[in-house]
Amino acid sequence: MYVNAGSNAVRILQRLLVEMGHQIAVDGIIGDATAQAADLASVVSPQYLVDAYGIARRNYYLRLADERPLSRKFARTQRGEKGGWIRRAEEFITPRYHLTEREFQTRVQAWG
């Protein structure tokens, strides 16, 4: 994700860690505090962290496409299916958290 989102990829992780109770800066830099918090979170609940990050990543891409119509081609195919950004984000999360086709269509309906 860092290739596409840059330091926003790290900020997303840091926000999740803060929501999980870790006191770290949300600055987009993986320093010792972020690395330690991520290690602790992954020990306590590894799949929760993976799922939460994947969902946050998917939501980031959807919001980006909401704001930037030219980016929608990465979130939705020409046929209207989930695009590469969304498919890749969902590859990392438990299938029960994937958007169904109906949920996806409802979510992107405003895009026209």
Side-chain angles (χ1 to χ4, degrees), residues 17-102:
L17 294 169
V18 168
E19 288 174 18
M20 294 173 76
H22 299 276
Q23 295 186 1
I24 59 170
V26 178
D27 58 8
I29 300 168
I30 297 180
D32 290 339
T34 298
Q36 289 173 0
D39 283 344
L40 284 171
S42 68
V43 168
V44 172
S45 185
Q47 194 57 50
Y48 174 83
L49 182 60
V50 170
D51 287 337
Y53 187 74
I55 292 166
R57 178 181 173 189
R58 179 184 64 206
N59 291 342
Y60 168 82
Y61 286 135
L62 288 167
R63 281 191 308 274
L64 190 61
D66 287 339
E67 297 167 7
R68 294 177 18 197
L70 291 176
S71 293
R72 292 177 185 166
K73 64 185 172 188
F74 303 113
R76 181 179 64 181
T77 67
Q78 289 181 340
R79 294 189 320 226
E81 300 166 339
K82 294 177 186 177
W85 280 354
I86 308 307
R87 286 193 321 271
R88 281 190 297 280
E90 289 189 337
E91 285 177 356
F92 296 95
I93 62 178
T94 305
R96 69 180 173 162
Y97 297 119
H98 291 197
L99 292 175
T100 65
E101 185 60 31
R102 182 179 209 163

